[in-house]
Amino acid sequence: MKSTDFGRLFEFQVFGDEEGSLVALESSKNIPFEIQRSYHIFGIMPGARRGFHAHKTLKQLAVCVRGTCKFLLDNGSEKKEVSLSNPRQGVLIDPMVWHEMFDFSPDAVLLVLADQHYDESDYIRNYDQFMKAAQERL
Ligand code: T46
């Protein structure tokens, strides 16, 4: 992976009129994979920081559909901070990218789309193990 490729921000088309706005997310159209699972994170305690893992093979795209939050993304050689501040934007979380989510606003709802079903064995939850695996891929 080229270092600049990870943590790509997507800007979705908004269908809007005077009555409101709508964003459609579709497998292999504006989402760059087949969606197998979605989950959403909400009711986050003030100051909470989540994530602290990378996935071996899972691809995901996260949209803060309400409120705001930030991501720290780390591919083992470069770190990026990404802010999600509106429901028109999404951030791609590639495999082998360590990620942490933080600075959630009290009303934040983070929707995550994933290309595989839940599998705990796909997680790398130890940063040293992640760095070792990331270096081996270079
Ligand atoms: C990720 C970031 C962005 C399930 O049983 N099924 C699921 O599909 C998911 C996502 C989680 N869980 C269980 C596993 C744990 O017992 O829910 C509990 C909380 O999961 P975790 O501590 O991994 O949550 P986060 O917010 O740290 O991470 C989540 C995703 O797990 C992860 O894949 O990339 O959001």
Side-chain angles (χ1 to χ4, degrees):
M1 185 189 301
K2 288 202 299 276
S3 63
T4 49
D5 285 347
F6 77 105
R8 184 173 155 208
L9 259 185
F10 284 64
E11 285 283 338
F12 302 116
Q13 182 177 5
V14 179
F15 300 93
D17 56 27
E18 60 282 355
E19 292 174 348
S21 303
L22 183 154
V23 170
L25 304 176
E26 295 185 89
S27 284
S28 304
K29 289 195 173 174
N30 56 354
I31 301 298
F33 50 75
E34 283 288 323
I35 301 163
Q36 293 291 332
R37 175 170 56 111
S38 84
Y39 57 91
H40 44 284
I41 298 171
F42 57 97
I44 299 108
M45 297 303 286
R49 200 166 173 111
R50 301 181 66 101
F52 296 96
H53 57 254
H55 286 283
K56 296 173 189 166
T57 63
L58 188 71
K59 283 186 199 155
Q60 301 189 102
L61 192 138
V63 181
C64 206
V65 291
R66 181 170 184 172
T68 61
C69 72
K70 291 179 183 162
F71 275 77
L72 171 72
L73 300 166
D74 174 354
N75 71 354
S77 55
E78 185 182 343
K79 293 182 186 183
K80 282 184 185 173
E81 197 175 289
V82 173
S83 294
L84 294 180
S85 56
N86 70 68
R88 299 184 301 275
Q89 291 180 322
V91 63
L92 189 62
I93 310 169
D94 283 301
M96 291 305 293
V97 172
W98 184 267
H99 48 284
E100 299 172 18
M101 301 89 82
F102 60 102
D103 272 5
F104 288 92
S105 61
D107 59 344
V109 180
L110 182 66
L111 171 71
V112 185
L113 307 175
D115 76 339
Q116 295 170 39
H117 293 162
Y118 176 70
D119 176 5
E120 183 59 36
S121 71
D122 190 66
Y123 286 71
I124 304 175
R125 293 189 183 271
N126 176 287
Y127 188 73
D128 292 339
Q129 283 173 15
F130 160 72
M131 284 301 285
K132 190 164 178 287
Q135 296 305 322
E136 282 167 6
R137 280 163 58 111
L138 291 177

